[in-house]
Amino acid sequence: MLMHQTMRWYGPQDVVKLSDIRQAGCAGVVTALHHIPVGAVWTTDEIKQRKKLIEDAGMTWTVVESLPVSEDIKKQNGQYLEHIANYKTSLQNLAACGIEVVTYNFMPILDWLRTDIAYTMPDGSKALYFNRLGFIAFDLYLLKRPGAKEEHSLTDQEAAAAYLNSLNKDEQEQLFRNLLLGLPGSDEAFTAQQVLDALENYAGINADTLRKHLVYFLREVVPVAEAAGVKMAIHPDDPPYPVLGLPRIVSTEADAAFLLQSVDSPANGLCFCTGSYGARADNDIVAMLKRFGDRVHFLHLRNTKRDAEGNFYEAAHLAGDTDMYAVIKEVLQIQQRRNISIPMRPDHGHQMLDDLQKKTYPGYSAIGRLKGLAELRGVEYALDKMMR
Ligand code: DNO
């Protein structure tokens, strides 16, 4: 049994068209109703409209990414009870429309972060990059977060200052903009003041509190998901450690084990992102897949290359630190055991060829993802034959 191949589509305004995704060989599409405000209900009408677009293009809407969790839910204040009630309704509406996997994350304020969204590879293609000193420089000297100084060693502070001085004004502005891109699926970046205000609202919320809020959320929504036949899939933190003084609680094997145990239902599962977990050397990706295989509902296959200084770039799908051969082999075994086909998407991809001229969502140009998918598919095809 092969993985269910999908690609992410940002909706009708995406430069990458549904026909492109179909030609890439995908049977499924991963999308979200980005126009609906976070916390509001996804009505069956809206869901059906989107579903029809996808079906008219000859594919199925297999996975929602994401049904976003509001900041109020993460902080447990403001309108969080109403948002949780709305979340349940949205899950039921999605189920009524036949959509069974729902991805979300529990990262405070900012989703994924990169210092460089067009890092030039030796072959001229562009990749996403996370530069540790660049990030510290942003925190200390561009965002000027109160309290940041105490969190970085003197050596790091000095090195970050030197790094920043090595950049010209344009490059400094670019660094700032890249980090505040924040939310995939929207063109709006945060302003520094917005981020500082949002950070202020997290004062007093440490990892333990955030974990309690996640468990509360799961205890509320997972039974509803289970009854409706929906599988929840939490996306890990990216990068997988605390940033800007904010706690992050889905970064390690122990984090995943904790959240799966805390609500022990098959509907409470993982979006297993090999790129996010893989940015930490202490995450053994294949061992994690072995352990959590029964609760993996969605796969993001992507590779990162780390260096000794804590930087990483997004490598080609079969390059990088994660052994994709071993990952796919494990996935095939899980699928055989569970007798299902797990939805997978090639996550991110290099900007290359004609796409170098286009403005796509960072990481989501068509050709790089098509290349990634084709390579992953090849490995899977060969392994599947060998394992029979
Ligand atoms: C980045 C994505 C994430 C992911 C969310 C899920 O490219 O993998 O933004 O969609 O964290 O909620």
Side-chain angles (χ1 to χ4, degrees):
M1 195 175 298
L2 299 176
M3 294 182 277
H4 174 70
Q5 293 169 17
T6 70
M7 260 196 205
R8 187 178 203 171
W9 183 54
Y10 278 112
Q13 85 293 354
D14 197 333
V15 181
V16 180
K17 299 290 161 221
L18 284 171
S19 52
D20 300 336
I21 297 179
R22 177 126 190 246
Q23 286 177 22
C26 294
V29 170
V30 174
T31 194
L33 304 179
H34 294 287
H35 58 285
I36 298 184
V38 178
V41 170
W42 288 17
T43 62
T44 44
D45 265 6
E46 290 274 3
I47 299 167
K48 279 184 188 150
Q49 272 179 43
R50 178 61 59 91
K51 191 172 141 91
K52 185 169 181 317
L53 291 179
I54 295 167
E55 286 173 358
D56 287 350
M59 295 172 288
T60 54
W61 183 0
T62 317
V63 178
V64 167
E65 179 177 353
S66 311
L67 181 57
V69 176
S70 72
E71 287 299 307
D72 283 5
I73 294 178
K74 292 175 199 161
K75 288 182 295 197
Q76 260 191 31
N77 65 11
Q79 294 173 284
Y80 80 101
L81 289 174
E82 186 187 329
H83 290 176
I84 290 179
N86 289 349
Y87 206 97
K88 293 177 186 169
T89 309
S90 298
L91 288 175
Q92 285 163 334
N93 291 348
L94 285 163
C97 297
I99 298 161
E100 288 171 6
V101 180
V102 171
T103 310
Y104 67 103
N105 74 72
F106 220 77
M107 288 177 252
I109 310 175
L110 298 155
D111 192 329
W112 60 285
L113 292 168
R114 295 292 182 272
T115 53
D116 192 348
I117 55 171
Y119 174 71
T120 308
M121 301 291 287
D123 64 6
S125 61
K126 311 271 187 187
L128 303 175
Y129 185 66
F130 186 87
N131 178 308
R132 197 179 73 91
L133 285 181
F135 185 67
I136 296 174
F138 162 81
D139 190 12
L140 286 169
Y141 311 117
L142 300 178
L143 185 65
K144 302 193 179 79
R145 175 172 65 90
K149 247 193 155 129
E150 289 68 49
E151 288 168 31
H152 300 293
S153 71
L154 208 60
T155 325
D156 277 352
Q157 290 181 34
E158 283 167 8
Y163 174 80
L164 196 66
N165 284 331
S166 76
L167 303 181
N168 64 34
K169 266 266 149 319
D170 282 355
E171 290 165 335
Q172 292 189 6
E173 264 170 33
Q174 190 63 46
L175 172 67
F176 189 69
R177 269 202 305 276
N178 290 344
L179 282 161
L180 293 184
L181 264 177
L183 293 172
S186 94
D187 289 328
E188 278 169 52
F190 287 100
T191 64
Q193 197 51 50
Q194 279 169 328
V195 174
L196 290 174
D197 291 347
L199 286 169
E200 178 73 26
N201 293 332
Y202 269 88
I205 299 186
N206 61 17
D208 279 346
T209 316
L210 188 65
R211 217 172 268 121
K212 276 191 198 119
H213 295 175
L214 171 60
V215 172
Y216 178 88
F217 170 71
L218 290 173
R219 292 206 172 119
E220 287 290 316
V221 301
V222 168
V224 176
E226 189 176 331
V230 170
K231 295 187 187 69
M232 306 275 297
I234 193 165
H235 189 281
D237 307 326
D238 184 3
Y241 36 77
V243 290
L244 304 178
L246 291 166
R248 289 201 159 190
I249 54 168
V250 193
S251 298
T252 63
E253 177 169 349
D255 290 341
F258 170 82
L259 80 93
L260 293 178
Q261 277 155 22
S262 66
V263 179
D264 198 8
S265 151
N268 177 26
L270 304 178
C271 164
F272 197 83
C273 176
T274 55
S276 302
Y277 285 121
R280 273 178 86 117
D282 58 352
N283 278 336
D284 180 339
I285 298 300
V286 178
M288 287 171 77
L289 260 179
K290 268 201 171 59
R291 178 168 177 192
F292 303 129
D294 287 340
R295 305 276 282 273
V296 170
H297 300 318
F298 184 28
L299 289 154
H300 283 184
L301 298 186
R302 168 164 79 78
N303 223 324
T304 52
K305 184 78 195 153
R306 304 177 300 263
D307 68 14
E309 279 82 53
N311 313 312
F312 64 85
Y313 67 88
E314 300 205 5
H317 287 73
L318 302 186
D321 296 309
T322 296
D323 179 353
M324 230 16 117
Y325 172 86
V327 164
I328 294 176
K329 195 168 176 192
E330 188 55 40
V331 169
L332 288 174
Q333 277 158 3
I334 293 169
Q335 293 193 144
Q336 231 163 48
R337 190 172 73 233
R338 287 169 60 188
N339 195 28
I340 55 153
S341 179
I342 301 176
M344 169 278 276
R345 69 173 179 84
D347 199 6
H348 302 174
H350 292 169
Q351 200 180 348
M352 61 195 301
L353 309 180
D354 290 6
D355 281 344
L356 286 166
Q357 301 344 309
K358 294 183 191 158
K359 192 179 173 322
T360 47
Y361 292 103
Y364 288 93
S365 53
I367 301 170
R369 285 187 293 158
L370 163 63
K371 174 173 176 275
L373 178 63
E375 292 178 348
L376 296 165
R377 181 163 49 211
V379 172
E380 183 186 35
Y381 177 85
L383 268 167
D384 180 60
K385 289 229 162 191
M386 274 163 52
M387 286 162 70
R388 273 190 209 174

